[in-house]
Amino acid sequence: MVSKQFIQQIVRLEPSSKTLYECRQCGYSVEKDVEECPQCAAHEIAAYDLE
C-alpha cells in the first residue's frame, strides 16, 4: 500500500526532479537536505532516483 505522504510528494514533484527522499524508518517523504526525519526523528534518509 502506498502512503498518503508518498502520493502527495509525487504530485508536488517538479518535472525536472527525479529523486525522492524518504525516511527508511517510517516512509515519510522529506526534502533533499533533511538529515533527520521530522516524523520519527530517524537519521536514515534514502534517496530514490525516479525515471
Side-chain angles (χ1 to χ4, degrees):
M1 183 173 196
V2 179
S3 71
K4 182 178 177 181
Q5 291 92 1
F6 179 77
I7 293 171
Q8 289 173 338
Q9 184 70 24
I10 294 296
V11 171
R12 282 184 263 164
L13 288 176
E14 296 177 11
S16 62
S17 179
K18 295 185 179 188
T19 305
L20 173 69
Y21 299 90
E22 182 178 85
C23 175
R24 287 186 148 180
Q25 293 292 329
C26 71
Y28 189 80
S29 295
V30 297
E31 297 296 322
K32 179 179 179 179
D33 297 325
V34 172
E35 293 183 17
E36 180 179 294
C37 176
Q39 189 76 9
C40 72
H43 291 275
E44 298 176 41
I45 305 298
Y48 301 104
D49 291 325
L50 305 176
E51 294 182 16

